[in-house]
Amino acid sequence: MTNKTASRWSGYLDLGQSLSGVILALFLWTHLLLVSSILIGPEAMDWVARTMELSFLSADGHGYPWVVSLIAIGIALLALLHVVVAIQKIPLNLKQQKALASQMQIINHGDTRLWRWQAITGVVILLLLPIHLWLIGSAPETIGPVGSARRIWGEYGYLFYLPLLLTVELHAAVGLYRAALKWGLVSDSAGRSRLKTLKTVFSLAFVIIGLAALLAFIPHNPA
């Protein structure tokens, strides 16, 4: 493979990583807002769940739960693509880890530290996300105030939902921030500073919304 071909493929991989990451981040935030409908009330969340199942297209109004399963499969495939592309840039062996640690002690660059946190949270997400997608995709008919409450609190799902919430929010916000810088949406230092502040605000806001939604399910736990 020539240097020109290698450079072209590297560009394609960078574009694929950025596009898949942006789509996943936007889906994550949309998903969290839909789940947070429980904060309005159980009826609101039930309406959201049935709408996601295309209840307005079914004769009995119950919808098609398998639509949610298809969405879960689609997100799993997109996440797998993102991981396959991103993992090529992560220091995996001990030698690479030591080299990175040594470099960070010398440079101590803020964006490099963010990249490291993104890599760490990515590993955690890689372990936890398949569990979430399996639980949702294998039993989509349970999505709703009672079914979700049972899964989160009655079956101790919060033990992995809490770390998943924290890691995906940090990972998504940092990913969007770095993608904006990589593709030249922000070039000056003032714009970079504003973008970093916006990243922090979005992370905190969605973590708070997510925690509030988890707590709002407690009264609906039938156990």
Side-chain angles (χ1 to χ4, degrees):
M1 182 181 294
T2 65
N3 290 337
K4 185 176 181 180
T5 303
S7 178
R8 185 184 300 114
W9 272 107
S10 179
Y12 290 152
L13 291 174
D14 274 347
L15 181 60
Q17 180 184 355
S18 295
L19 283 177
S20 60
V22 169
I23 294 172
L24 287 169
L26 294 178
F27 174 83
L28 163 69
W29 286 346
T30 302
H31 169 65
L32 185 58
L33 290 175
L34 293 176
V35 172
S36 67
S37 59
I38 188 65
L39 296 172
I40 302 175
E43 296 82 6
M45 186 186 181
D46 195 58
W47 179 84
V48 168
R50 301 293 78 80
T51 301
M52 289 294 296
E53 296 171 0
L54 306 181
S55 61
F56 51 89
L57 295 179
S58 63
D60 58 7
H62 292 157
Y64 309 98
W66 52 263
V67 173
V68 176
S69 298
L70 289 181
I71 294 174
I73 293 172
I75 293 300
L77 292 175
L78 186 59
L80 179 61
L81 170 65
H82 186 68
V83 168
V84 169
V85 177
I87 203 170
Q88 301 181 56
K89 300 181 180 180
I90 298 177
L92 298 177
N93 59 51
L94 184 59
K95 182 178 180 180
Q96 292 173 329
Q97 289 284 350
K98 288 182 177 179
L100 176 61
S102 176
Q103 182 183 24
M104 291 190 66
Q105 289 179 355
I106 297 173
I107 299 177
N108 194 28
H109 189 262
D111 284 354
T112 303
R113 289 196 301 272
L114 285 178
W115 173 83
R116 191 179 191 185
W117 274 112
Q118 192 178 21
I120 293 172
T121 54
V123 173
V124 177
I125 295 169
L126 184 60
L127 297 174
L128 298 180
L129 182 61
I131 301 175
H132 173 59
L133 292 176
W134 170 255
L135 290 175
I136 298 301
S138 63
E141 69 281 354
T142 64
I143 298 176
V146 176
S148 298
R150 179 186 292 112
R151 182 168 51 252
I152 296 170
W153 295 105
E155 300 173 0
Y156 304 100
Y158 66 89
L159 293 176
F160 80 88
Y161 275 121
L162 281 173
L164 181 61
L165 170 66
L166 296 176
T167 50
V168 294
E169 291 305 334
L170 176 59
H171 190 86
V174 172
L176 289 176
Y177 166 77
R178 296 186 66 245
L181 295 182
K182 176 184 292 187
W183 298 104
L185 299 182
V186 176
S187 55
D188 60 305
S189 58
R192 181 185 294 240
S193 179
R194 288 193 295 269
L195 188 62
K196 186 173 290 188
T197 299
L198 192 61
K199 169 192 68 63
T200 302
V201 170
F202 269 82
S203 289
L204 290 175
F206 279 104
V207 165
I208 291 172
I209 292 173
L211 291 175
L214 287 176
L215 293 174
F217 280 110
I218 294 178
H220 305 288
N221 180 20

